[in-house]
Amino acid sequence: MTYAYARVSTQDQNLTRQLEAFDEFGVDRKNVYCDKKSSKDFERQNYLKLVKKLRGGDLLVIKSIDRLGRDYNMITEEWSRITKKIGADILVLDMPLLDTRERADTLMGKFISDIVLQVLSFVAENERANIRARQAEGIAAAKKKGVRFGRPRKVYSEEFIGIVGDFRSKKLTLSQALAASHMTSGNFYYHMNRLCRV
């Protein structure tokens, strides 16, 4: 039986490119499993269902090697689990050298496939590390230019600022300040403290 697995990291990303590649290869859509979840672990609902279905002699088709995991160790461990423990074959469409059907019967074939897997897994992890480094550099450069991250700072009205000033100078009692600001005491103290820190 031939199965395929597609994954994107977030809900707003699109699976179309991977699904079209599986259609072109001839994988029946009912045998295609998809997840919209990060690859930080293998707790992906549809992936786990797929792995339970895999049997020796089955073929798992993926578009690229990093669909199996996010780093070198995860990818190589999962590859080993599928090909050695379960006994299924794997085909990576973006890298035809990674096709265990073609080379499983010879020692040289296994050796070449293992080397290519190790190199590609390293490249996938290295690219993720580079992306993280570029993101960190971009954030640092933006902060240097004065870009603020996180929630925007609350802007208080002149009226609220006046109420707080009158309350702190004891011109207003707490109940008068609460009535004037239409707040509970907890809310009033919270915003007063934030205002005084600004």
Side-chain angles (χ1 to χ4, degrees), residues 52-122:
K52 281 183 183 173
K53 283 196 142 198
L54 282 176
R55 299 288 177 265
D58 287 345
L59 173 64
L60 172 60
V61 180
I62 54 176
K63 180 85 169 80
S64 59
I65 192 67
D66 61 354
R67 299 305 84 194
L68 283 182
R70 93 179 302 147
D71 62 29
Y72 178 86
N73 288 334
M74 288 174 73
I75 293 169
T76 54
E77 283 171 22
E78 201 61 10
W79 183 280
S80 179
R81 175 163 79 126
I82 292 167
T83 59
K84 295 183 171 69
K85 201 170 178 184
I86 296 172
D89 285 307
I90 299 177
L91 165 63
V92 181
L93 294 175
D94 285 352
M95 182 53 63
L97 275 173
L98 288 177
D99 181 354
T100 60
R101 300 170 305 165
E102 300 293 320
R103 296 164 181 81
D105 51 350
T106 68
L107 184 61
M108 181 59 76
K110 288 178 185 174
F111 176 69
I112 290 170
S113 194
D114 282 349
I115 287 176
V116 172
L117 171 66
Q118 303 272 340
V119 169
L120 288 179
S121 301
F122 170 79

Side-chain angles (χ1 to χ4, degrees), residues 30-46:
K30 72 178 179 4
N31 291 335
V32 175
Y33 290 76
C34 305
D35 281 311
K36 288 194 170 189
K37 190 156 192 248
S38 167
S39 61
K40 65 181 176 184
D41 55 43
F42 285 112
E43 298 306 313
R44 293 172 261 154
Q45 185 178 2
N46 289 317

